[in-house]
Amino acid sequence: YKKEYLMFNDDIQGTAATVLAGLYGAMKVQGLAPEDIKNQKILIAGAGSAGSGVVLTIRNAINKRYGLSLEEASRRFYIVDANGLISKSRSNLVEMEDQFHDLSSFAVDDSEMEGMSLLDTIKTVKPNILIGLSACGGLFNKEVLEAMNESDTPPIIFPLSNPTSRSECTAAQAQAATGGRAIFASGSPFPDVEIEGKSIASSQCNNRYIFPGLALGAALGQTGVVTNAMINRAAEALVELIDDEDIARRATFPENAEIREIACHLAAKVFEQALQEGLKGPNPLMVEAYQHGGLAELKTYIYSKMWYPNYRPLVFQGRGGE
């Protein structure tokens, strides 16, 4: 219904955009740009609907935003489920697409790799990024994490399953197994980890970073539709707010920015993307602000339309004005 109503699915698109933003943040921690995500090997543990939304959103960014063909972008992924690595020889591959759209395009060609364990897949393909969407607590055990640590670059470990009991690993386990090298973000909250007197961030991949700004930009901007490019722009915009202190702690999300600042920044960038796409009927006052004073004046307008819970004080005077 996205072309009939101004809407997006936060469980699928919002979560996926937040994960994408976290990966962009991990790129920034490594001194890389968002487009460098196209050069990463990404291993996904979990082939359900949650994994589908995340993988398709990341692939869309690699394909539409950063220039790889759809086939090339699909080859950046390896997907493992309870039965191991998924290849094109998986007997029920077509049926699995009921839960994971276009799964066959991500399945590896080599039939000999079918069913390969998570650990053996890591040792064979040597991924830079490991994302958990399996709802299988403890799946990223010490051997798995140590294998990820064989990477030349700091391993990016995202155990995203909720609740805590289903998280694929904890922040402490990830840092202990990698000697404090891991760039970590999770679905469940974990305390920061201290190694040799230095605090390493345990970022939480929480939708609150994305959906307020994305929704505000689309609704206030009267964009008529929420496009994939607008969702990707929201993810890119979030990373722009990561500061030097965040990077020093290896935080993949902006921990020092207020939520209103984040929402306003994302809303402005989402509206700017809508204008670049030539969407019909945008808010004329926002268009005027943007054309007159750029992003700065556009943000001033957005702030002016935010609701603040400020109430005028009430004084009871009693009967007869006493």
Side-chain angles (χ1 to χ4, degrees):
Y1 300 99
K2 74 176 186 178
K3 293 184 179 179
E4 299 178 36
Y5 303 95
L6 184 60
M7 62 180 292
F8 66 95
N9 186 316
D10 184 55
D11 280 344
I12 297 175
Q13 293 170 292
T15 298
T18 307
V19 176
L20 179 60
L23 293 179
Y24 287 155
M27 297 294 101
K28 189 169 185 175
V29 169
Q30 293 182 343
L32 303 174
E35 57 263 30
D36 287 301
I37 195 172
K38 69 182 181 183
N39 301 319
Q40 310 303 307
K41 290 182 181 179
I42 305 170
L43 177 54
I44 307 289
S49 57
S52 174
V54 169
V55 170
L56 292 170
T57 297
I58 299 171
R59 183 181 69 172
N60 181 72
I62 295 173
N63 169 225
K64 299 287 181 65
R65 188 74 168 168
Y66 304 125
L68 266 63
S69 70
L70 198 63
E71 183 179 359
E72 290 172 329
S74 299
R75 288 176 180 168
R76 308 311 299 171
F77 296 86
Y78 299 85
I79 300 174
V80 174
D81 69 356
N83 296 312
L85 181 65
I86 298 172
S87 77
K88 286 183 169 54
S89 64
R90 178 70 64 98
S91 60
N92 63 335
L93 186 59
V94 174
E95 291 81 358
M96 292 177 70
E97 292 194 340
D98 290 340
Q99 289 290 321
F100 197 119
H101 176 68
D102 202 25
L103 178 60
S104 58
S105 69
F106 297 100
V108 299
D109 294 324
D110 188 350
S111 61
E112 293 187 1
M113 296 178 70
E114 168 61 38
M116 186 178 286
S117 71
L118 176 63
L119 179 58
D120 287 340
T121 300
I122 293 172
K123 290 180 177 180
T124 301
V125 306
K126 303 185 185 307
N128 314 91
I129 298 169
L130 177 61
I131 299 176
L133 292 159
S134 67
C136 183
L139 180 63
F140 298 169
N141 57 33
K142 182 179 179 182
E143 290 75 21
V144 165
L145 294 168
E146 286 178 343
M148 284 296 299
N149 197 39
E150 294 298 316
S151 171
D152 292 334
T153 57
I156 298 168
I157 311 293
F158 278 23
L160 299 179
S161 296
N162 282 308
T164 305
S165 61
R166 293 186 178 273
S167 181
E168 287 79 6
C169 70
T170 67
Q173 290 166 343
Q175 299 302 349
T178 62
R181 294 179 72 226
I183 300 173
F184 181 93
S186 58
S188 299
F190 290 106
D192 294 342
V193 178
E194 187 168 310
I195 300 226
E196 296 180 354
K198 183 177 181 180
S199 178
I200 301 174
S202 301
S203 298
Q204 186 179 6
C205 195
N206 193 305
N207 289 24
R208 73 181 181 88
Y209 286 114
I210 290 288
F211 78 78
L214 176 58
L216 180 61
L220 185 60
Q222 300 169 22
T223 62
V225 66
V226 178
T227 66
N228 288 333
M230 290 164 64
I231 292 172
N232 186 68
R233 180 61 72 90
E236 290 179 346
L238 183 61
V239 178
E240 293 169 356
L241 298 175
I242 294 177
D243 62 20
D244 291 341
E245 183 178 336
D246 293 323
I247 292 174
R249 298 181 61 252
R250 277 185 267 157
T252 60
F253 294 94
E255 298 183 347
N256 297 315
E258 295 292 334
I259 192 62
R260 287 186 186 274
E261 178 189 358
I262 294 173
C264 182
H265 184 69
L266 267 62
K269 288 303 184 77
V270 164
F271 183 73
E272 182 180 51
Q273 176 63 37
L275 292 181
Q276 291 174 358
E277 292 184 66
L279 298 182
K280 297 180 180 179
N283 183 335
L285 295 177
M286 290 179 69
V287 174
E288 181 181 352
Y290 181 70
Q291 292 177 340
H292 182 265
L295 285 173
E297 190 164 324
L298 178 59
K299 287 184 178 183
T300 299
Y301 176 85
I302 293 170
Y303 273 123
S304 75
K305 296 300 179 180
M306 285 185 177
W307 179 76
Y308 294 85
N310 298 327
Y311 298 92
R312 298 169 67 180
L314 300 177
V315 179
F316 178 67
Q317 291 185 333
R319 293 182 179 180
E322 296 178 0

